[in-house]
Amino acid sequence: IVVTDVAGDPATAAAMMLDSAGRPVVVARTGMTKVGFLRRLPNGAAELATSTALGGEGEFTAVAEQLGGGYVAGGWRDVAGSGDEEIRALVVRSDGRVVAAGRAGDRIRVARYSATGSEELASAPDFGVVTEERAEGVVVEPSGRIVLAGSGVTGGERRFLLAALNEAGDVDASFGGGGLVTLDVGDG
């Protein structure tokens, strides 16, 4: 077990990945208004630990490695008037673009950013009968199709869902029924 004190603040790990060098990378909430970043060597020795203030309550909830080194993290921050949005998943495409997925209110939201950070796409697709949607995972197929994993409420029950969007962020109707497949995973 390896324990890291991040500036004396209570820390809660939120997302983790192994980078291309085999180093564990963790993003965390470190207090009510701070987020932390931690990288360890494969043997567990500390390599990097830092914490920074957000200017409001928030946390990182996803992390991905950028091409050529570096990391990108996403999450949420409580800013007056900003709405109820959060990033829950990130993927870096082979061209360096970053695709972020999560929710905006009760709808799935997907955004794509250029390798330099400019927003290229913002989409809140309409899946019809599904409400209270959220994306928790995202992959981008070689064709550019965006596939999301998450959950939503349909027929009064929360269900696991897979959804597909084309590269332009529109619902890919060729996937499942109208771009969506749901699975009832029970009451648990």
Side-chain angles (χ1 to χ4, degrees):
I1 295 177
V2 177
V3 178
T4 302
D5 181 23
V6 184
D9 291 318
T12 303
M16 181 178 180
M17 61 163 285
L18 280 178
D19 71 9
S20 59
R23 299 173 296 202
V25 177
V26 178
V27 291
R29 182 177 188 161
T30 56
M32 293 299 289
T33 61
K34 291 183 181 178
V35 292
F37 177 87
L38 171 67
R39 186 174 64 208
R40 293 279 180 177
L41 295 173
N43 67 5
E47 183 177 24
L48 176 66
T50 186
S51 181
T52 189
L54 282 175
E57 186 178 356
E59 70 180 309
F60 285 144
T61 55
V63 61
E65 185 174 10
Q66 294 178 302
L67 301 178
Y71 307 93
V72 59
W76 63 271
R77 185 174 76 142
D78 187 14
V79 178
S82 69
D84 185 17
E85 299 183 4
E86 64 181 320
I87 294 171
R88 301 295 297 175
L90 293 167
V91 64
V92 178
R93 295 175 19 155
S94 61
D95 61 5
R97 290 182 170 117
V98 176
V99 177
R103 66 178 183 84
D106 284 342
R107 301 273 304 272
I108 284 177
R109 184 169 188 308
V110 176
R112 184 178 60 234
Y113 300 91
S114 71
T116 60
S118 299
E119 188 175 74
E120 299 177 335
L121 168 72
S123 176
D126 184 358
F127 293 108
V129 299
V130 180
T131 61
E132 298 179 35
E133 309 158 9
R134 59 180 174 241
E136 301 282 346
V138 61
V139 295
V140 178
E141 295 177 343
S143 66
R145 179 164 73 173
I146 301 165
V147 181
L148 307 164
S151 67
V153 173
T154 183
E157 296 181 16
R158 177 153 300 278
R159 294 178 178 238
F160 171 78
L161 66 82
L162 287 174
L165 308 175
N166 62 27
E167 192 168 10
D170 300 319
V171 174
D172 181 349
S174 71
F175 183 85
L180 182 73
V181 175
T182 65
L183 173 66
D184 184 359
V185 292
D187 297 328

